Amino acid sequence: MKTIIIDDDKSSIETLTQKLKSYKEIEFCGSANTCSTGIHLAAEVNPEVIFLDVELPDLSGLEFLMQLDNITRGWCQVIMYTGHPGYMLPAFRLNAFDYLMKPVDERELKNVVARLKERRLRDESPLHSFATANSCGDKLLLYTSTSDFRLVHIQNICAFLYNHEIRQWEVIIAGMTDPLRMKRGIKREAILNIAPQFVQVSQKAIVNVDYLLEVADNTCVFYPPFERVQNITVGRHYRKALTEKFNSI
């Protein structure tokens, strides 16, 4: 499996590279010390495995993970490896394959490589390929007008907000400065049926609980890259359902 490392610590890269050399399943294809150089490297190599640090000089590893589907082509799994345990939950919510702490433990690395090999074989099976090829997977086709549309990944959606002035729902999406306006006539029931992680918190807001860090002063606080999303409050009639959903994660 073609593998790259993205980490700003040179000694960590060297240590992990040496460890990976003992696995015949791993083909080491290079390293980068920033997210921007990592994006270029991933686009060039098209890796199947990426070992990714969280705290990097330009973008965070979580922000890189958000862009993964736009960078790589085909099968690719990301293992976050870092000295900071606090990012584990948001990393898994962004579909990281695994989470390793520095310094990387030999036994844990061996287990990760074995699981990667198993996942690779499973995903390459004819039955699995047939099943995924005939579905949209985690992608959502948003009809923004009668003729225009945009394909987005469900995992990149933070919230749906109803704009009363124009009487349309708008979508907050990672990497977009302004909300994406949805087709007129879309009902909240249709949005709630998109995926189980979408939960209504008020008459005009539906949020992705995978990004919900907490509710503070009755206001939703989100994980990066949506930490700047503010003023989404929880209505008292929706609090119980939100609490139950949040506790079930």
Side-chain angles (χ1 to χ4, degrees), residues 5-18 28 30-34 53 55-57 81 102:
I5 300 172
I6 304 175
D7 191 348
D8 63 337
D9 185 76
K10 185 177 179 181
S11 62
S12 294
I13 292 176
E14 292 175 349
T15 300
L16 180 57
T17 301
Q18 289 301 315
F28 180 65
S31 64
N33 56 17
T34 65
D53 192 11
E55 296 189 348
L56 294 161
Y81 89 116
K102 294 180 181 179

PDB file of all heavy atoms in Angstrom, residues 5-18 28 30-34 53 55-57 81 102:
ATOM      1  N   ILE A   5       3.684  10.268   4.827  1.00  0.00           N
ATOM      2  CA  ILE A   5       3.610  10.811   6.184  1.00  0.00           C
ATOM      3  C   ILE A   5       3.554  12.331   6.086  1.00  0.00           C
ATOM      4  O   ILE A   5       4.347  12.932   5.357  1.00  0.00           O
ATOM      5  CB  ILE A   5       4.831  10.391   7.028  1.00  0.00           C
ATOM      6  CG1 ILE A   5       4.922   8.866   7.136  1.00  0.00           C
ATOM      7  CG2 ILE A   5       4.767  11.022   8.416  1.00  0.00           C
ATOM      8  CD1 ILE A   5       6.210   8.379   7.795  1.00  0.00           C
ATOM      9  N   ILE A   6       2.634  12.938   6.834  1.00  0.00           N
ATOM     10  CA  ILE A   6       2.554  14.392   6.897  1.00  0.00           C
ATOM     11  C   ILE A   6       2.736  14.804   8.352  1.00  0.00           C
ATOM     12  O   ILE A   6       1.869  14.550   9.195  1.00  0.00           O
ATOM     13  CB  ILE A   6       1.215  14.907   6.344  1.00  0.00           C
ATOM     14  CG1 ILE A   6       0.989  14.411   4.907  1.00  0.00           C
ATOM     15  CG2 ILE A   6       1.165  16.435   6.389  1.00  0.00           C
ATOM     16  CD1 ILE A   6      -0.369  14.782   4.338  1.00  0.00           C
ATOM     17  N   ASP A   7       3.863  15.414   8.642  1.00  0.00           N
ATOM     18  CA  ASP A   7       4.222  15.752  10.017  1.00  0.00           C
ATOM     19  C   ASP A   7       5.286  16.853   9.977  1.00  0.00           C
ATOM     20  O   ASP A   7       6.182  16.822   9.127  1.00  0.00           O
ATOM     21  CB  ASP A   7       4.763  14.511  10.737  1.00  0.00           C
ATOM     22  CG  ASP A   7       4.913  14.694  12.234  1.00  0.00           C
ATOM     23  OD1 ASP A   7       4.824  15.845  12.710  1.00  0.00           O
ATOM     24  OD2 ASP A   7       5.148  13.695  12.935  1.00  0.00           O
ATOM     25  N   ASP A   8       5.216  17.800  10.893  1.00  0.00           N
ATOM     26  CA  ASP A   8       6.196  18.884  10.908  1.00  0.00           C
ATOM     27  C   ASP A   8       7.410  18.569  11.778  1.00  0.00           C
ATOM     28  O   ASP A   8       8.335  19.383  11.871  1.00  0.00           O
ATOM     29  CB  ASP A   8       5.554  20.197  11.353  1.00  0.00           C
ATOM     30  CG  ASP A   8       5.024  20.142  12.782  1.00  0.00           C
ATOM     31  OD1 ASP A   8       4.759  19.016  13.265  1.00  0.00           O
ATOM     32  OD2 ASP A   8       4.881  21.196  13.410  1.00  0.00           O
ATOM     33  N   ASP A   9       7.391  17.381  12.399  1.00  0.00           N
ATOM     34  CA  ASP A   9       8.522  16.993  13.245  1.00  0.00           C
ATOM     35  C   ASP A   9       9.400  15.977  12.502  1.00  0.00           C
ATOM     36  O   ASP A   9       8.976  14.847  12.251  1.00  0.00           O
ATOM     37  CB  ASP A   9       8.020  16.394  14.563  1.00  0.00           C
ATOM     38  CG  ASP A   9       9.154  16.080  15.523  1.00  0.00           C
ATOM     39  OD1 ASP A   9       9.691  17.020  16.133  1.00  0.00           O
ATOM     40  OD2 ASP A   9       9.507  14.884  15.643  1.00  0.00           O
ATOM     41  N   LYS A  10      10.609  16.393  12.154  1.00  0.00           N
ATOM     42  CA  LYS A  10      11.492  15.562  11.340  1.00  0.00           C
ATOM     43  C   LYS A  10      11.846  14.249  12.022  1.00  0.00           C
ATOM     44  O   LYS A  10      11.861  13.186  11.391  1.00  0.00           O
ATOM     45  CB  LYS A  10      12.771  16.337  11.013  1.00  0.00           C
ATOM     46  CG  LYS A  10      13.709  15.599  10.076  1.00  0.00           C
ATOM     47  CD  LYS A  10      14.923  16.450   9.735  1.00  0.00           C
ATOM     48  CE  LYS A  10      15.879  15.697   8.812  1.00  0.00           C
ATOM     49  NZ  LYS A  10      17.089  16.517   8.483  1.00  0.00           N
ATOM     50  N   SER A  11      12.127  14.296  13.321  1.00  0.00           N
ATOM     51  CA  SER A  11      12.521  13.077  14.034  1.00  0.00           C
ATOM     52  C   SER A  11      11.374  12.066  14.089  1.00  0.00           C
ATOM     53  O   SER A  11      11.586  10.850  13.991  1.00  0.00           O
ATOM     54  CB  SER A  11      12.984  13.406  15.456  1.00  0.00           C
ATOM     55  OG  SER A  11      11.937  14.002  16.211  1.00  0.00           O
ATOM     56  N   SER A  12      10.137  12.562  14.215  1.00  0.00           N
ATOM     57  CA  SER A  12       8.968  11.671  14.228  1.00  0.00           C
ATOM     58  C   SER A  12       8.800  10.985  12.874  1.00  0.00           C
ATOM     59  O   SER A  12       8.476   9.795  12.809  1.00  0.00           O
ATOM     60  CB  SER A  12       7.700  12.446  14.573  1.00  0.00           C
ATOM     61  OG  SER A  12       7.741  12.940  15.887  1.00  0.00           O
ATOM     62  N   ILE A  13       9.046  11.740  11.797  1.00  0.00           N
ATOM     63  CA  ILE A  13       8.968  11.154  10.462  1.00  0.00           C
ATOM     64  C   ILE A  13      10.002  10.059  10.294  1.00  0.00           C
ATOM     65  O   ILE A  13       9.709   8.966   9.799  1.00  0.00           O
ATOM     66  CB  ILE A  13       9.169  12.238   9.383  1.00  0.00           C
ATOM     67  CG1 ILE A  13       7.987  13.203   9.364  1.00  0.00           C
ATOM     68  CG2 ILE A  13       9.335  11.599   8.002  1.00  0.00           C
ATOM     69  CD1 ILE A  13       8.148  14.353   8.394  1.00  0.00           C
ATOM     70  N   GLU A  14      11.237  10.344  10.723  1.00  0.00           N
ATOM     71  CA  GLU A  14      12.316   9.368  10.583  1.00  0.00           C
ATOM     72  C   GLU A  14      12.026   8.102  11.388  1.00  0.00           C
ATOM     73  O   GLU A  14      12.252   6.981  10.910  1.00  0.00           O
ATOM     74  CB  GLU A  14      13.634   9.989  11.025  1.00  0.00           C
ATOM     75  CG  GLU A  14      14.123  11.102  10.092  1.00  0.00           C
ATOM     76  CD  GLU A  14      15.366  11.795  10.623  1.00  0.00           C
ATOM     77  OE1 GLU A  14      15.722  11.559  11.813  1.00  0.00           O
ATOM     78  OE2 GLU A  14      15.985  12.570   9.868  1.00  0.00           O
ATOM     79  N   THR A  15      11.526   8.276  12.607  1.00  0.00           N
ATOM     80  CA  THR A  15      11.225   7.125  13.464  1.00  0.00           C
ATOM     81  C   THR A  15      10.123   6.263  12.863  1.00  0.00           C
ATOM     82  O   THR A  15      10.245   5.030  12.787  1.00  0.00           O
ATOM     83  CB  THR A  15      10.795   7.597  14.866  1.00  0.00           C
ATOM     84  OG1 THR A  15      11.854   8.352  15.457  1.00  0.00           O
ATOM     85  CG2 THR A  15      10.463   6.408  15.755  1.00  0.00           C
ATOM     86  N   LEU A  16       9.052   6.910  12.427  1.00  0.00           N
ATOM     87  CA  LEU A  16       7.932   6.157  11.858  1.00  0.00           C
ATOM     88  C   LEU A  16       8.335   5.495  10.547  1.00  0.00           C
ATOM     89  O   LEU A  16       7.955   4.347  10.286  1.00  0.00           O
ATOM     90  CB  LEU A  16       6.736   7.078  11.629  1.00  0.00           C
ATOM     91  CG  LEU A  16       5.481   6.432  11.040  1.00  0.00           C
ATOM     92  CD1 LEU A  16       4.999   5.267  11.911  1.00  0.00           C
ATOM     93  CD2 LEU A  16       4.366   7.466  10.877  1.00  0.00           C
ATOM     94  N   THR A  17       9.141   6.171   9.744  1.00  0.00           N
ATOM     95  CA  THR A  17       9.599   5.596   8.474  1.00  0.00           C
ATOM     96  C   THR A  17      10.368   4.307   8.707  1.00  0.00           C
ATOM     97  O   THR A  17      10.171   3.309   7.994  1.00  0.00           O
ATOM     98  CB  THR A  17      10.489   6.604   7.711  1.00  0.00           C
ATOM     99  OG1 THR A  17       9.746   7.800   7.468  1.00  0.00           O
ATOM    100  CG2 THR A  17      10.944   6.023   6.384  1.00  0.00           C
ATOM    101  N   GLN A  18      11.238   4.309   9.694  1.00  0.00           N
ATOM    102  CA  GLN A  18      12.018   3.111  10.020  1.00  0.00           C
ATOM    103  C   GLN A  18      11.109   1.967  10.467  1.00  0.00           C
ATOM    104  O   GLN A  18      11.314   0.810  10.099  1.00  0.00           O
ATOM    105  CB  GLN A  18      13.045   3.425  11.107  1.00  0.00           C
ATOM    106  CG  GLN A  18      14.198   4.300  10.655  1.00  0.00           C
ATOM    107  CD  GLN A  18      14.977   3.659   9.514  1.00  0.00           C
ATOM    108  OE1 GLN A  18      15.294   2.470   9.538  1.00  0.00           O
ATOM    109  NE2 GLN A  18      15.276   4.457   8.497  1.00  0.00           N
ATOM    110  N   PHE A  28       6.610   2.980   1.235  1.00  0.00           N
ATOM    111  CA  PHE A  28       6.777   4.367   1.655  1.00  0.00           C
ATOM    112  C   PHE A  28       7.094   5.245   0.441  1.00  0.00           C
ATOM    113  O   PHE A  28       8.047   4.993  -0.290  1.00  0.00           O
ATOM    114  CB  PHE A  28       7.890   4.483   2.694  1.00  0.00           C
ATOM    115  CG  PHE A  28       8.117   5.891   3.175  1.00  0.00           C
ATOM    116  CD1 PHE A  28       7.136   6.559   3.890  1.00  0.00           C
ATOM    117  CD2 PHE A  28       9.300   6.558   2.887  1.00  0.00           C
ATOM    118  CE1 PHE A  28       7.335   7.865   4.325  1.00  0.00           C
ATOM    119  CE2 PHE A  28       9.516   7.852   3.319  1.00  0.00           C
ATOM    120  CZ  PHE A  28       8.523   8.509   4.038  1.00  0.00           C
ATOM    121  N   GLY A  30       7.106   8.921   0.543  1.00  0.00           N
ATOM    122  CA  GLY A  30       7.542  10.286   0.811  1.00  0.00           C
ATOM    123  C   GLY A  30       6.859  10.902   2.016  1.00  0.00           C
ATOM    124  O   GLY A  30       5.951  10.329   2.616  1.00  0.00           O
ATOM    125  N   SER A  31       7.320  12.097   2.366  1.00  0.00           N
ATOM    126  CA  SER A  31       6.785  12.806   3.522  1.00  0.00           C
ATOM    127  C   SER A  31       6.672  14.291   3.218  1.00  0.00           C
ATOM    128  O   SER A  31       7.290  14.809   2.283  1.00  0.00           O
ATOM    129  CB  SER A  31       7.668  12.584   4.752  1.00  0.00           C
ATOM    130  OG  SER A  31       8.965  13.131   4.540  1.00  0.00           O
ATOM    131  N   ALA A  32       5.874  14.982   4.029  1.00  0.00           N
ATOM    132  CA  ALA A  32       5.709  16.432   3.910  1.00  0.00           C
ATOM    133  C   ALA A  32       5.611  17.004   5.318  1.00  0.00           C
ATOM    134  O   ALA A  32       5.139  16.335   6.239  1.00  0.00           O
ATOM    135  CB  ALA A  32       4.449  16.756   3.109  1.00  0.00           C
ATOM    136  N   ASN A  33       6.038  18.260   5.481  1.00  0.00           N
ATOM    137  CA  ASN A  33       6.023  18.860   6.818  1.00  0.00           C
ATOM    138  C   ASN A  33       4.964  19.941   7.003  1.00  0.00           C
ATOM    139  O   ASN A  33       4.912  20.590   8.038  1.00  0.00           O
ATOM    140  CB  ASN A  33       7.404  19.407   7.184  1.00  0.00           C
ATOM    141  CG  ASN A  33       7.917  20.405   6.158  1.00  0.00           C
ATOM    142  OD1 ASN A  33       7.151  20.915   5.353  1.00  0.00           O
ATOM    143  ND2 ASN A  33       9.210  20.674   6.187  1.00  0.00           N
ATOM    144  N   THR A  34       4.113  20.149   6.000  1.00  0.00           N
ATOM    145  CA  THR A  34       2.963  21.051   6.123  1.00  0.00           C
ATOM    146  C   THR A  34       1.779  20.437   5.390  1.00  0.00           C
ATOM    147  O   THR A  34       1.948  19.534   4.561  1.00  0.00           O
ATOM    148  CB  THR A  34       3.248  22.439   5.511  1.00  0.00           C
ATOM    149  OG1 THR A  34       3.430  22.300   4.092  1.00  0.00           O
ATOM    150  CG2 THR A  34       4.486  23.091   6.133  1.00  0.00           C
ATOM    151  N   ASP A  53      -0.244  14.010  11.124  1.00  0.00           N
ATOM    152  CA  ASP A  53      -0.184  14.714  12.404  1.00  0.00           C
ATOM    153  C   ASP A  53      -1.370  15.668  12.497  1.00  0.00           C
ATOM    154  O   ASP A  53      -1.963  16.038  11.478  1.00  0.00           O
ATOM    155  CB  ASP A  53       1.142  15.474  12.507  1.00  0.00           C
ATOM    156  CG  ASP A  53       1.407  15.980  13.915  1.00  0.00           C
ATOM    157  OD1 ASP A  53       0.689  15.564  14.846  1.00  0.00           O
ATOM    158  OD2 ASP A  53       2.338  16.791  14.086  1.00  0.00           O
ATOM    159  N   GLU A  55      -1.431  18.808  14.634  1.00  0.00           N
ATOM    160  CA  GLU A  55      -1.009  20.202  14.714  1.00  0.00           C
ATOM    161  C   GLU A  55       0.129  20.458  13.728  1.00  0.00           C
ATOM    162  O   GLU A  55       1.254  20.023  13.929  1.00  0.00           O
ATOM    163  CB  GLU A  55      -0.594  20.543  16.142  1.00  0.00           C
ATOM    164  CG  GLU A  55      -1.758  20.447  17.127  1.00  0.00           C
ATOM    165  CD  GLU A  55      -1.419  20.984  18.499  1.00  0.00           C
ATOM    166  OE1 GLU A  55      -0.219  21.229  18.759  1.00  0.00           O
ATOM    167  OE2 GLU A  55      -2.339  21.161  19.316  1.00  0.00           O
ATOM    168  N   LEU A  56      -0.216  21.175  12.648  1.00  0.00           N
ATOM    169  CA  LEU A  56       0.730  21.483  11.585  1.00  0.00           C
ATOM    170  C   LEU A  56       0.822  22.996  11.412  1.00  0.00           C
ATOM    171  O   LEU A  56      -0.067  23.736  11.839  1.00  0.00           O
ATOM    172  CB  LEU A  56       0.295  20.802  10.292  1.00  0.00           C
ATOM    173  CG  LEU A  56       0.343  19.269  10.332  1.00  0.00           C
ATOM    174  CD1 LEU A  56      -0.521  18.678   9.227  1.00  0.00           C
ATOM    175  CD2 LEU A  56       1.778  18.785  10.202  1.00  0.00           C
ATOM    176  N   PRO A  57       1.890  23.495  10.778  1.00  0.00           N
ATOM    177  CA  PRO A  57       2.121  24.936  10.725  1.00  0.00           C
ATOM    178  C   PRO A  57       1.053  25.747   9.988  1.00  0.00           C
ATOM    179  O   PRO A  57       0.772  26.881  10.363  1.00  0.00           O
ATOM    180  CB  PRO A  57       3.467  25.051   9.989  1.00  0.00           C
ATOM    181  CG  PRO A  57       4.124  23.739  10.179  1.00  0.00           C
ATOM    182  CD  PRO A  57       3.010  22.734  10.199  1.00  0.00           C
ATOM    183  N   TYR A  81      -1.733  10.490  13.815  1.00  0.00           N
ATOM    184  CA  TYR A  81      -0.760  10.165  14.855  1.00  0.00           C
ATOM    185  C   TYR A  81      -0.208  11.458  15.416  1.00  0.00           C
ATOM    186  O   TYR A  81       0.235  12.342  14.708  1.00  0.00           O
ATOM    187  CB  TYR A  81       0.290   9.181  14.346  1.00  0.00           C
ATOM    188  CG  TYR A  81       1.528   9.746  13.695  1.00  0.00           C
ATOM    189  CD1 TYR A  81       2.782   9.542  14.273  1.00  0.00           C
ATOM    190  CD2 TYR A  81       1.458  10.453  12.499  1.00  0.00           C
ATOM    191  CE1 TYR A  81       3.924  10.045  13.678  1.00  0.00           C
ATOM    192  CE2 TYR A  81       2.592  10.950  11.894  1.00  0.00           C
ATOM    193  CZ  TYR A  81       3.823  10.743  12.499  1.00  0.00           C
ATOM    194  OH  TYR A  81       4.958  11.257  11.911  1.00  0.00           O
ATOM    195  N   LYS A 102       1.949   9.460  19.793  1.00  0.00           N
ATOM    196  CA  LYS A 102       3.412   9.481  19.721  1.00  0.00           C
ATOM    197  C   LYS A 102       3.988   9.300  21.121  1.00  0.00           C
ATOM    198  O   LYS A 102       3.434   9.828  22.089  1.00  0.00           O
ATOM    199  CB  LYS A 102       3.898  10.828  19.162  1.00  0.00           C
ATOM    200  CG  LYS A 102       3.524  11.102  17.714  1.00  0.00           C
ATOM    201  CD  LYS A 102       4.069  12.468  17.310  1.00  0.00           C
ATOM    202  CE  LYS A 102       3.710  12.811  15.872  1.00  0.00           C
ATOM    203  NZ  LYS A 102       4.216  14.147  15.489  1.00  0.00           N
TER     204      LYS A 102
END
